[in-house]
């Protein structure tokens, strides 16, 4: 099935395998591990930073004196600015130097964490309750924007470097491995806080350490080369632009200089086939993830002791980590047919949610451990791949070939719109559970899963039953 993909698709390589490209190819492959490492670390720092805050919430309430309402408002403000920030950051990364945008995000996150530490060290709440509450919410408002740079801009840098034929064929696996940064960051944050508290240090060190590491990684990121073309490597996009410039020169007789691609607009990004559908589909998938992530410990706490409930819930997060790798690898095997693989995973999740709605309150701990681990794989895989490999596929669509200034905008739109949809959907969980019980919540998630998959229906059909090649597509294939 993988080799039957005729026609020019989003995952068709643009690299001409002639001898003149060998040196460019060697330089490209030599820098790829460093680009992977730096961007992986940048997004790792984002999750490390925000998770460290959540691990000291008890101390912020009991020791610092912040009310649960203020802590909840901090989360709400963060989710709002993070969602909007994704859309803005993606565009900024395509318009300006991506390295600069990533570094600003890291430095800004470090500053915000440092300001929170200052408010705790000098006990702003003791001076004025209103001042202390306003200050920490305002800082967290800005924190959401700075945290949003890692996803869309980091994905764009990865797309710039991993553009050779082999990388495109293995794009799902590469990005599946890359998206493990969030889980590595979350686990490291938990370990960091445990070590700080276990050593008897003040809990503010759990916020000060990520502030320092963000500054350090920001300095490292400033040395990152965001685009191979910046150091003279002729990438597929540059080659296409050069060919277009030569054609225009031959037509007009006037020399045309290659000044690089113009950043794509939001409207142009949304006109790329399937971008809008994926953006909304991702919102429903992300909502499913958010509900399971935030509400599972609460639900399980009704049936098990706190230690057992948290252990069982943690298996869901454990399952999410390999999910992206599995979906990415399998979709690579089937020639980049990611929508079909995602649809298969979400169909399986639909069945598990139905079983959960009927039997969740009767299952023992072992059965729940197995089910939630599998559900983590089924949810995590599509969520991770849509905002990385799928976004890279969409930004490589034939309609924008020769322009690598689209991936950040496309990723930002998908992630931002998804976050907004998920944030709104979360408001329904509490009232549903209170009025109709937990079975209604699982049925609600089944509906979200169905709608998200249905939004990808046209793409799934196109992948399973590809249209016959046109003359222009045959001509394009002969050119690569």
């Amino acid at each position: 099935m993988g080799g039957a993909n005729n026609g020019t698709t989003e995952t068709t390589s643009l690299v001409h395998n002639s001898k003149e490209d060998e040196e460019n190819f060697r330089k490209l492959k030599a820098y790829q591990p460093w680009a992977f490492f730096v961007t992986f670390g940048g997004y790792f720092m984002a999750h490390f930073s925000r998770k460290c805050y959540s691990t000291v919430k008890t101390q912020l309430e009991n020791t610092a004196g912040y009310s649960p309402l203020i802590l909840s408002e901090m989360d709400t403000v963060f989710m709002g600015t993070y969602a909007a920030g994704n859309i803005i950051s993606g565009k900024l990364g395509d318009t300006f130097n991506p390295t600069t945008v990533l570094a600003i995000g890291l430095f800004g996150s470090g500053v915000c964490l440092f300001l929170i530490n200052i408010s705790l060290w000098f006990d702003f709440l003791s001076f004025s309750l209103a001042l202390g509450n306003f200050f920490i919410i305002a800082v967290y408002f800005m924190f959401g924007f700075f945290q949003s740079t890692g996803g869309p801009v980091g994905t764009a840098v990865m797309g710039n470097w991993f553009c050779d034929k082999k990388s495109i064929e293995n794009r799902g696996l590469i990005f599946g491995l890359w998206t493990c940064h969030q889980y590595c960051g979350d686990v490291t944050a938990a370990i960091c806080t445990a070590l700080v508290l276990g050593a008897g240090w003040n809990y503010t060190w759990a916020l000060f350490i990520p502030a320092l590491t963000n500054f350090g990684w920001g300095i490292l990121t400033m040395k990152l080369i965001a685009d191979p073309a910046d150091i003279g490597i002729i990438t597929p996009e540059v080659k296409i632009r050069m060919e277009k410039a030569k054609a225009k020169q031959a037509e007009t007789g006037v020399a045309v200089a290659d000044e690089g691609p113009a950043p794509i607009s939001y409207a142009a990004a949304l006109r790329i086939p399937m971008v809008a559908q994926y953006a909304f589909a991702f919102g429903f998938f992300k909502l499913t993830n958010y509900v399971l992530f935030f509400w599972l410990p609460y639900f399980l706490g009704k049936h098990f002791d706190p230690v057992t409930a948290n252990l069982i819930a943690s298996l869901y997060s454990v399952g999410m980590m390999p999910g992206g790798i599995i979906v990415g690898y399998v979709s690579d095997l089937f020639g980049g047919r990611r929508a079909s693989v995602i649809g298969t995973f979400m169909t399986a999740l639909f069945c598990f949610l139905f079983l959960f709605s009927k039997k969740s309150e009767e299952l023992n701990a072992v059965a729940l451990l197995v089910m939630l681990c599998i559900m983590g794989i089924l949810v995590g895989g599509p969520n991770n791949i849509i905002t990385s490999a799928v976004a890279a596929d969409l930004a490589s669509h034939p309609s924008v070939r020769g322009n690598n200034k689209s991936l950040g905008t496309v990723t930002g739109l998908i992630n931002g719109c998804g976050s907004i949809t998920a944030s709104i959907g979360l408001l329904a969980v509490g009232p549903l559970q209170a009025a109709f019980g937990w079975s209604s919540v699982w049925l609600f998630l089944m509906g979200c899963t169905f709608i998200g998959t249905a939004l990808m229906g046209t793409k799934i059909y196109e992948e399973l039953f590809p249209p016959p090649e046109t003359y222009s597509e045959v001509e394009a294939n002969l050119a690569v």
Side-chain angles (χ1 to χ4, degrees):
M1 187 174 179
N5 190 11
N6 296 319
T8 305
T9 70
E10 295 93 335
T11 52
T12 301
S13 172
L14 304 177
V15 176
H16 299 255
N17 296 314
S18 62
K19 289 183 178 180
E20 65 186 37
D21 295 320
E22 288 180 4
E23 182 61 20
N24 285 320
F25 180 74
R26 185 192 64 78
K27 292 179 180 178
L28 188 76
K29 298 302 288 185
Y31 199 82
Q32 283 178 351
W34 181 248
F36 186 103
F37 174 72
V38 175
T39 53
F40 182 99
Y43 214 168
F44 168 94
M45 289 300 165
H47 283 271
F48 179 40
S49 303
R50 70 183 75 152
K51 187 66 176 180
C52 275
Y53 152 74
S54 68
T55 59
V56 295
K57 271 188 176 180
T58 302
Q59 287 76 13
L60 289 172
E61 179 182 354
N62 298 334
T63 306
Y66 289 99
S67 68
L69 176 61
I70 293 298
L71 296 177
S72 175
E73 288 178 354
M74 287 173 66
D75 291 337
T76 302
V77 164
F78 175 86
M79 289 180 69
T81 56
Y82 179 77
N86 266 279
I87 298 173
I88 296 169
S89 295
K91 179 66 173 173
L92 289 175
D94 285 343
T95 306
F96 303 103
N97 187 338
T99 296
T100 303
V101 178
L102 287 172
I104 289 173
L106 288 162
F107 289 138
S109 296
V111 169
C112 288
L113 290 172
F114 185 68
L115 289 174
I116 291 175
N117 269 285
I118 289 177
S119 71
L120 297 172
W121 292 337
F122 293 95
D123 195 6
F124 281 16
L125 284 178
S126 66
F127 293 110
S128 167
L129 184 64
L131 171 65
N133 289 336
F134 175 79
F135 183 84
I136 200 167
I137 289 177
V139 170
Y140 229 63
F141 179 91
M142 295 304 301
F143 188 56
F145 281 115
F146 289 124
Q147 286 276 291
S148 69
T149 60
V153 185
T155 302
V157 174
M158 282 286 292
N160 289 344
W161 281 101
F162 288 84
C163 59
D164 59 282
K165 182 179 180 180
K166 194 68 175 176
S167 295
I168 291 174
E169 290 174 353
N170 295 293
R171 180 179 278 164
L173 176 60
I174 291 169
F175 277 100
L177 290 167
W178 187 72
T179 54
C180 290
H181 44 49
Q182 52 189 308
Y183 310 109
C184 294
D186 291 345
V187 171
T188 304
I191 294 172
C192 176
T193 302
L195 291 174
V196 166
L197 298 179
W201 294 4
N202 189 290
Y203 72 93
T204 56
W205 277 99
L207 298 173
F208 189 62
I209 291 172
L212 293 177
T213 57
N214 270 273
F215 279 117
W217 209 268
I219 294 171
L220 184 67
T221 299
M222 290 178 67
K223 302 180 184 299
L224 175 69
I225 299 169
D227 193 329
D230 294 340
I231 54 174
I233 298 176
I234 306 299
T235 60
E237 289 80 8
V238 173
K239 192 170 294 185
I240 290 174
R241 292 202 308 271
M242 291 170 64
E243 291 171 356
K244 288 180 178 178
K246 287 179 181 178
K248 190 171 183 180
Q249 182 177 340
E251 181 182 338
T252 62
V254 180
V256 179
D258 179 19
E259 298 178 351
I264 194 171
S265 66
Y266 289 122
L270 289 171
R271 284 197 295 270
I272 297 174
M274 287 305 299
V275 167
Q277 291 94 319
Y278 267 115
F280 286 108
F282 179 63
F284 288 103
F285 297 157
K286 192 165 189 174
L287 173 57
T288 302
N289 175 37
Y290 274 9
V291 172
L292 291 171
F293 184 81
F294 289 121
W295 284 89
L296 267 178
Y298 180 82
F299 165 72
L300 295 170
K302 301 290 184 181
H303 308 283
F304 301 95
D305 63 85
V307 175
T308 305
N310 279 288
L311 176 64
I312 296 172
S314 68
L315 261 292
Y316 171 74
S317 298
V318 170
M320 289 191 73
M321 186 169 182
I325 300 172
I326 295 170
V327 171
Y329 179 71
V330 173
S331 64
D332 288 341
L333 288 179
F334 288 95
R337 291 174 171 83
R338 308 197 206 286
S340 302
V341 176
I342 290 170
T344 302
F345 271 59
M346 300 316 287
T347 301
L349 176 66
F350 185 91
C351 297
F352 270 84
L353 286 170
F354 177 76
L355 180 61
F356 218 64
S357 69
K358 298 295 183 182
K359 302 291 182 180
S360 60
E361 301 192 28
E362 303 172 16
L363 296 172
N364 59 34
V366 175
L368 283 169
L369 281 169
V370 174
M371 274 196 69
L372 290 175
C373 185
I374 296 173
M375 288 170 69
I377 293 173
L378 296 174
V379 174
N383 274 270
N384 292 341
I385 289 300
I386 287 175
T387 55
S388 54
V390 168
D393 292 345
L394 294 172
S396 302
H397 189 270
S399 63
V400 289
R401 277 184 172 172
N403 188 347
N404 63 349
K405 297 293 186 181
S406 57
L407 181 48
T409 304
V410 169
T411 307
L413 280 170
I414 292 175
N415 211 345
C417 293
S419 295
I420 292 170
T421 304
S423 300
I424 295 171
L426 274 174
L427 299 174
V429 177
L432 271 177
Q433 183 270 328
F436 305 105
W438 281 103
S439 60
S440 65
V441 176
W442 311 132
L443 291 173
F444 171 65
L445 295 187
M446 287 171 63
C448 292
T449 303
F450 176 80
I451 294 172
T453 307
L455 284 167
M456 299 192 307
T458 55
K459 183 63 177 176
I460 294 172
Y461 182 85
E462 181 186 315
E463 290 180 354
L464 295 177
F465 306 101
E469 283 185 313
T470 64
Y471 175 77
S472 60
E473 286 174 336
V474 173
E475 201 173 44
N477 278 337
L478 292 174
V480 296

